[in-house]
Amino acid sequence: QVQLVESGGGLVQAGGSLRLSCFVSRRSISISDMDWYRQAPGKQRDLVASSTSGGRTIYADSVQGRFTISRDNAKNTVYLQMDNLKPEDTAVYYCHQLSGGMGYWGQGTQVTVSS
């Protein structure tokens, strides 16, 4: 069974940075589209950033210029570098893998940005 394990969340002050990691087991990310989503309390889960298997990256308007998605195929890990964090970035961040028509989710990691 494919497993995605996120790490790197935590509490940070506004203007600070965090780097999230998502390690994927049992299925190569090199042939997968990899995404980061986030869900704030009482809100829907929204796409934050996407990295396609073809090398294209997509960002939500709210994080464009502040967040960077990247991947290390050799380590089967995808990253989300988050800079200039704002209180509205507070949410649980989820890693998502789309492979062979199937979607897989991690358990999520909490990011809290204090003002």
Side-chain angles (χ1 to χ4, degrees):
Q1 182 177 352
V2 175
Q3 289 186 316
L4 288 73
V5 180
E6 300 102 332
S7 60
L11 174 63
V12 64
Q13 288 187 331
S17 298
L18 284 174
R19 188 195 195 203
L20 306 183
S21 300
C22 173
F23 171 71
V24 181
S25 64
R26 296 192 176 92
R27 194 166 187 94
S28 174
I29 68 169
S30 65
I31 57 172
S32 304
D33 293 344
M34 299 298 303
D35 314 302
W36 286 97
Y37 284 76
R38 69 186 180 188
Q39 187 169 19
K43 296 188 176 181
Q44 66 182 20
R45 190 173 296 187
D46 291 326
L47 179 67
V48 174
S50 180
S51 170
T52 71
S53 58
R56 192 164 62 107
T57 56
I58 302 168
Y59 296 94
D61 289 344
S62 59
V63 306
Q64 182 75 46
R66 299 189 297 120
F67 290 11
T68 304
I69 188 170
S70 62
R71 59 169 75 199
D72 185 333
N73 289 338
K75 294 182 178 179
N76 229 38
T77 300
V78 63
Y79 304 96
L80 185 68
Q81 177 67 41
M82 306 185 295
D83 298 318
N84 190 21
L85 282 160
K86 303 176 180 180
E88 52 264 42
D89 295 318
T90 295
V92 178
Y93 284 70
Y94 296 90
C95 181
H96 177 261
Q97 180 184 35
L98 182 62
S99 179
M102 295 290 292
Y104 304 92
W105 292 95
Q107 83 288 350
T109 185
Q110 176 71 46
V111 171
T112 303
V113 184
S114 63
S115 57

